[in-house]
Amino acid sequence: MFDISHEGRTTLSVDREGAEDLGYPEEVIAAAEAGVRKNAVKAACRRRIYAAASAETQMNMATAAAVISAKEANARTEDEASILSGLDDAIGWVAQMRARVIELADDAALDVGDDANWPPLPDGARDVVAKF
């Protein structure tokens, strides 16, 4: 189901068949369906990111990054350096996930529920998440 608008007319909660019956053009219907898919892919991405690191964990990681980054590099412990490295991996992974949203939204043949269609969480990111 989707909402669809064209030439000043809006229909809420309609499916493809209903939109066709109401005379909406194919390209308008396809755009509405693409919007639904894009929103579903974004939601799947968000769920996967939060499954890897909850909002609280992410806040704790950001706080640690700020505290550690405030230190001179030569004053950081080995553990602090590994945290920064893991955070870099995590940030890179999130960027990859967001890029994948665009690809998955554009290709309806790809299953957004299939783990193989998403970048794996790097070990460094997994290690830093486990600390928080």
Side-chain angles (χ1 to χ4, degrees):
M1 301 298 270
F2 49 84
D3 300 342
I4 190 167
S5 295
H6 180 67
E7 296 181 343
R9 180 176 65 152
T10 298
T11 304
L12 304 177
S13 193
V14 68
D15 61 9
R16 170 174 273 284
E17 185 178 327
E20 289 171 345
D21 290 345
L22 291 170
Y24 283 98
E26 171 57 32
E27 63 274 4
V28 174
I29 296 170
E33 289 175 329
V36 169
R37 179 167 175 82
K38 185 174 185 179
N39 288 338
V41 174
K42 284 181 176 182
C45 180
R46 189 177 311 108
R47 279 191 304 274
R48 287 171 178 276
I49 290 170
Y50 283 119
S54 69
E56 293 81 9
T57 297
Q58 291 180 44
M59 287 187 296
N60 291 337
M61 289 169 29
T63 300
V67 170
I68 295 167
S69 295
K71 294 182 177 184
E72 295 290 329
N74 62 358
R76 295 176 188 150
T77 67
E78 187 175 311
D79 186 51
E80 290 170 334
S82 74
I83 288 171
L84 289 180
S85 177
L87 288 170
D88 189 49
D89 290 347
I91 291 167
W93 175 72
V94 169
Q96 290 174 343
M97 292 289 285
R98 288 180 177 159
R100 195 66 179 134
V101 165
I102 295 165
E103 296 166 4
L104 288 167
D106 287 345
D107 189 346
L110 295 174
D111 178 4
V112 299
D114 186 348
D115 292 344
N117 288 323
W118 294 96
L121 182 65
D123 290 340
R126 184 175 288 105
D127 294 344
V128 78
V129 166
K131 294 180 182 198
F132 296 95

